[in-house]
Amino acid sequence: MSAPTLRVVHLYPRLMNIYGDRGNIMCLRHRCEARGIGFELTELGIGDRFDSAAADLIFAGGAQDREQRNVVEDLLATKADAVREAVEAAVVLLAVCGAYQLFGRFYREATGMELPGVGIFDLHTEHPGEKAKRLIGNIVAELVGPLPSSGQGGHPPITIVGFENHGGRTYLAPGVRPLAKVRSGHGNNGRDGAEGAVYRNAYGTYIHGSLLPKNPAFADHLIGLALRRRYGDVELARIDNRAEELAHRAALRLRP
Amino acid sequence: MYPAFVNPRASLAILAGKAAGTASRLLGRGGGTAIAGVVALGVDQGLVRTLSRQAAAGAIAVTGTNGKTTTSLMLNRVAAAAGLRPLHNRSGSNMMRGVAAMLVDEASISGSIADAARRLAILEVDEATLPEITREVRPRVIVFTNLFRDQLDRYGEVDTVARSWRSALRGQGTGDRGQPQEEPPTIVLNADDPAVAHLGRGYGGPVLYYGVEDASAGGDVVEHASDFRTCLECGADLAYSVTFYGHVGHWRCASCGNARPSADVRLTRVTARGDATEMAVATAGGELDILLPLTGLYNAYNALAAVAGATALGLPSEAIVSALAEFSAAFGRQERFQLDGRDVQVLLGKNPTGLNQVLRAVAARPGRKRLLFFLNDGIADGRDISWIWDTDYEVVQPQTEWALAAGTRAEDLALRLKYAGFGEYVEIERDAATALRRAIEATPAGETLYVLPTYTAMLEVREIIAKRAGEGHFWEGA
């Protein structure tokens, strides 16, 4: 069998890139290429159609309100069905910040008006009004659930670190698994200690910074899931993580 | 013309402000120049209005994401060459308190600005502070440089800044109580930046556009760090015939016909000449040939904005050309020092677009490079450092001989540099003085060390260099 290739689809890279989201793509590429794994990137913008069979991993990042309005219309019209189909077929999805909100059920504006989302995650987001403070700052959270060594069998929990900056407060429906438990920072809504959401192989989170470069365990988890879905058992070789681990450890000590 | 004794409250505010400033300096709180302003405004909220309006030549404000410090310093030099005495917040403290501190420093205790007849206020203004400054000072001219993402944790979204600018301009043309004001300010706009040029649409006063005509200075790739790629009128994608940096270039909306306005002040030719830049600028008053002793297209833009601002003020061409030819960099902006026989250049880079411009200017210089990068996450830097992933460190990597990552977020920077191809493991130094010492040691005598700090790191670096070079502190003025 020829060497595996990770096929990444980046949704709206020109419009949803506000918080260093490019770093996540750079990280996926690096962690594949350093291991001799192929890497193919497809960038989809307004009007482009999405082929659910052509992606192993879908990524979407954060946007400003103006761009998010442009995106939402196109997303619902040309891509939402295919993204849902892909997620049901266990394709990996990583949605950060604005995209995380878009992939929920709806976004309720301060006026009470509800904007529909893609509905991958059973959650909704509320904007508490212009007077309420945005949730901004460094964040440290502990991954829950899917990673085999995360807080189980005596292993210390795997931490995930970065920066959050969001006005909306996100609430998970009962039974929906959060991605992580907040150690310091705000997370989904600043109240219930949950950060992000997981559905099948789809992950939503408010953490940028960029997220993946300094959370290499999480990056490898996503790469491994995506490759194993298509190629069966794939072993990810160890690669040099010194710089990554230094950045991760330094972030654990930051003020929120 | 102006009463020697303005009002008791202003006098009290000035007295309190001066005392606070002196105390702060005696305590060695260098650089904390704004404290006098905080105290004075606490006593008299109207102090900036009272004092700034004494300047007989009026005021010019400069705002925008990048280039406002350098552009306003250029205007300062031009004004001085034209025989005016600038009232200028040149320490870079550009919010209300910084402007107030400068005015307190310039005012007598009786509340008057000396030599008011020859005074021109030149105010570098923080993007978010523009509405307040416009209301209080009523500048004759407002220069807008460019608009890019910067410190999103402090300003919020880029669109929020654009909205606050529009609201600052909306009230113009009416006086304090809503009665018509004689003259709304002239706004001086970068035609090449779609977000800035957009401010001219529907504005009730005079508009002067400036722009780069020389397409050979640009390229055809829109950089990653671009924030306005869609039309602000209709939302369709913008098309570019040439881009200079970020979303700055010759743009046009294919859908609604909204397009770059034709410029009144035009850079028709720009050529790099070693440590200098040759510029030919066409204005309504004729062609100006300027030899600017700075490098990088971003500095040509700064000079172009200054020419346009000076033109709007009616300053003479001779003053513009001579002042720009003798210009030396604002602090930390391509500023040069001699340290232990090394040429040390400090180039501030505090957001992706600004740093991209700096990195390109460094890459355009000949020879192998020694680079000392600083990344701090103080309030004034922006606490969110994710912007380093939007910045193209890659452009200098092939010529890099040696690099060190420093600052409070050195680890994040080292990781970013690894991704830019600087090697698996870039060395880290948290202590600024040690980092600078190591960088000097790594630079052979007679060679250049490039120091690329964020804002608070730049202040630190400058302090360390000033101490070592035995020169005065920057807030005492050069």
Side-chain angles (χ1 to χ4, degrees):
Chain A
M1 192 183 83
S2 62
T5 292
L6 183 73
R7 299 169 306 165
V8 173
V9 170
H10 188 178
L11 298 180
Y12 309 105
R14 286 182 48 182
L15 298 174
M16 304 187 78
N17 62 20
I18 192 75
Y19 297 123
D21 294 300
R22 179 171 70 158
N24 291 319
I25 299 294
M26 290 164 78
C27 176
L28 293 170
R29 179 189 294 276
H30 166 73
R31 299 189 77 79
C32 286
E33 290 178 349
R35 295 170 163 126
I37 297 167
F39 183 87
E40 274 176 31
L41 178 66
T42 306
E43 300 189 334
L44 297 183
I46 299 279
D48 296 334
R49 288 186 50 78
F50 174 56
D51 173 7
S52 63
D56 304 314
L57 192 155
I58 305 163
F59 173 74
Q64 301 207 57
D65 288 346
R66 170 172 53 95
E67 309 290 20
Q68 193 145 322
R69 279 193 295 274
N70 290 343
V71 160
V72 93
E73 212 172 292
D74 181 76
L75 183 64
L76 294 174
T78 67
K79 299 178 186 70
D81 289 342
V83 173
R84 274 193 293 264
E85 208 171 281
V87 168
E88 290 304 329
V91 167
V92 176
L93 168 73
L94 176 62
V96 176
C97 202
Y100 171 42
Q101 297 175 344
L102 281 184
F103 286 134
R105 292 220 172 278
F106 62 88
Y107 185 98
R108 185 180 294 137
E109 293 188 328
T111 57
M113 192 158 101
E114 288 184 7
L115 305 172
V118 179
I120 303 269
F121 303 109
D122 192 4
L123 57 82
H124 77 275
T125 302
E126 296 175 3
H127 198 289
E130 293 301 328
K131 290 228 174 73
K133 274 198 162 168
R134 287 178 75 87
L135 304 180
I136 302 178
N138 293 307
I139 172 167
V140 177
E142 295 169 4
L143 288 177
V144 294
L147 300 193
S149 64
S150 186
Q152 291 165 20
H155 290 284
I158 293 178
T159 47
I160 187 166
V161 296
F163 199 90
E164 59 183 322
N165 183 350
H166 51 106
R169 271 68 164 170
T170 294
Y171 298 93
L172 308 183
V176 173
R177 199 173 74 206
L179 170 65
K181 192 172 74 186
V182 176
R183 190 190 282 178
S184 70
H186 304 287
N188 282 342
N189 49 51
R191 279 192 222 153
D192 61 19
E195 159 50 34
V198 182
Y199 171 72
R200 296 184 64 107
N201 288 340
Y203 297 86
T205 179
Y206 274 119
I207 304 181
H208 65 262
S210 296
L211 171 71
L212 296 181
K214 60 184 163 187
N215 292 294
F218 186 57
D220 280 355
H221 172 69
L222 299 181
I223 294 169
L225 275 179
L227 292 177
R228 278 192 286 274
R229 177 184 155 273
R230 196 147 66 95
Y231 296 98
D233 200 21
V234 174
E235 194 64 32
L236 294 183
R238 290 184 69 84
I239 53 175
D240 190 323
N241 269 340
R242 282 174 295 168
E244 286 79 356
E245 278 163 12
L246 269 180
H248 187 96
R249 279 206 300 277
L252 293 176
R253 298 189 301 264
L254 296 170
R255 278 185 304 120
Chain B
M1 181 174 166
Y2 297 100
F5 189 85
V6 175
N7 66 49
R9 181 175 285 270
S11 285
L12 193 60
I14 292 162
L15 199 59
K18 281 182 186 290
T22 306
S24 167
R25 245 163 290 191
L26 288 175
L27 288 169
R29 303 262 161 88
T33 34
I35 186 73
V38 175
V39 171
L41 286 173
V43 177
D44 180 5
Q45 281 197 323
L47 190 67
V48 166
R49 174 183 299 232
T50 310
L51 295 180
S52 68
R53 293 191 187 182
Q54 293 179 34
I60 179 167
V62 181
T63 195
T65 305
N66 290 313
K68 49 190 180 294
T69 300
T70 297
T71 301
S72 44
L73 188 58
M74 288 171 170
L75 282 163
N76 174 319
R77 300 293 191 235
V78 173
L84 294 169
R85 271 185 72 186
L87 281 169
H88 179 198
N89 55 332
R90 52 169 300 164
S91 73
S93 188
N94 58 17
M95 294 195 259
M96 217 48 197
R97 53 180 183 259
V99 171
M102 176 275 289
L103 291 168
V104 162
D105 199 43
E106 295 271 5
S108 70
I109 291 166
S110 68
S112 63
I113 299 281
D115 204 7
R118 289 204 301 138
R119 290 298 190 135
L120 171 71
I122 299 172
L123 305 179
E124 172 190 334
V125 180
D126 172 81
E127 297 91 292
T129 307
L130 187 73
E132 206 179 344
I133 283 283
T134 308
R135 201 169 56 237
E136 294 297 307
V137 176
R138 280 232 217 105
R140 282 168 59 202
V141 177
I142 308 174
V143 178
F144 294 86
T145 59
N146 47 64
L147 180 57
F148 282 93
R149 65 182 68 179
D150 184 20
Q151 300 187 32
L152 297 166
D153 57 315
R154 188 157 75 86
Y155 291 121
E157 302 190 337
V158 193
D159 288 337
T160 314
V161 176
R163 269 200 300 279
S164 94
W165 285 356
R166 278 194 289 275
S167 86
L169 297 179
R170 205 170 296 129
Q172 295 307 312
T174 54
D176 290 333
R177 286 176 195 81
Q179 77 273 35
Q181 180 189 322
E182 321 75 64
E183 280 175 80
T186 300
I187 58 173
V188 176
L189 304 177
N190 184 347
D192 299 337
D193 183 331
V196 169
H198 193 248
L199 296 170
R201 285 178 85 105
Y203 177 62
V207 183
L208 188 76
Y209 290 100
Y210 62 92
V212 174
E213 302 285 317
D214 185 349
S216 72
D220 53 7
V221 180
V222 181
E223 275 172 30
H224 175 76
S226 301
D227 293 304
F228 294 89
R229 301 182 183 195
T230 53
C231 177
L232 287 161
E233 290 290 316
C234 76
D237 278 1
L238 292 180
Y240 284 82
S241 60
V242 57
T243 66
F244 296 115
Y245 69 90
H247 55 245
V248 171
H250 293 178
W251 52 275
R252 166 173 293 281
C253 172
S255 178
C256 75
N258 178 24
R260 171 189 186 264
S262 63
D264 308 292
V265 175
R266 302 181 300 279
L267 182 58
T268 53
R269 189 170 39 77
V270 56
T271 324
R273 288 268 182 267
D275 286 346
T277 304
E278 231 175 60
M279 302 170 59
V281 181
T283 70
E287 176 126 342
L288 311 181
D289 288 311
I290 296 165
L291 187 64
L292 180 73
L294 295 176
T295 60
L297 183 64
Y298 65 107
N299 279 315
Y301 261 107
N302 292 334
L304 190 63
V307 172
T311 306
L313 288 168
L315 299 177
S317 301
E318 306 77 54
I320 295 173
V321 173
S322 68
L324 291 179
E326 286 160 25
F327 187 76
S328 58
F331 64 87
R333 277 86 171 177
Q334 218 172 91
E335 205 180 14
R336 300 176 78 147
F337 303 90
Q338 288 299 313
L339 213 58
D340 300 343
R342 280 79 166 175
D343 171 38
V344 179
Q345 298 197 20
V346 181
L347 298 108
L348 175 70
K350 54 194 171 75
N351 51 47
T353 319
L355 186 51
N356 276 346
Q357 291 271 289
V358 162
L359 291 169
R360 280 182 175 76
V362 169
R365 308 308 309 277
R368 306 284 297 166
K369 310 298 185 322
R370 283 121 193 130
L371 305 169
L372 171 55
F373 292 99
F374 280 89
L375 178 63
N376 278 5
D377 65 351
I379 303 287
D381 301 294
R383 296 194 56 223
D384 181 2
I385 52 89
S386 61
W387 61 272
I388 61 176
W389 294 94
D390 291 326
T391 305
D392 302 329
Y393 294 91
E394 285 79 358
V395 299
V396 285
Q397 185 278 327
Q399 320 161 349
T400 301
E401 181 77 29
W402 182 90
L404 181 66
T408 56
R409 300 298 296 273
E411 292 86 354
D412 281 88
L413 184 54
L415 179 57
R416 175 67 187 93
L417 294 175
K418 167 185 172 165
Y419 272 87
F422 284 70
E424 279 296 341
Y425 188 80
V426 175
E427 293 222 34
I428 289 169
E429 178 57 61
R430 294 293 287 268
D431 180 68
T434 311
L436 193 62
R437 183 178 50 73
R438 286 178 62 181
I440 293 279
E441 284 167 8
T443 307
E447 296 287 315
T448 299
L449 167 68
Y450 295 94
V451 181
L452 299 113
T454 56
Y455 187 73
T456 63
M458 184 270 286
L459 299 181
E460 270 178 83
V461 166
R462 241 192 138 274
E463 269 296 280
I464 295 162
I465 293 178
K467 265 189 201 128
R468 292 195 51 177
E471 53 165 79
H473 298 297
F474 72 83
W475 63 87
E476 287 165 356

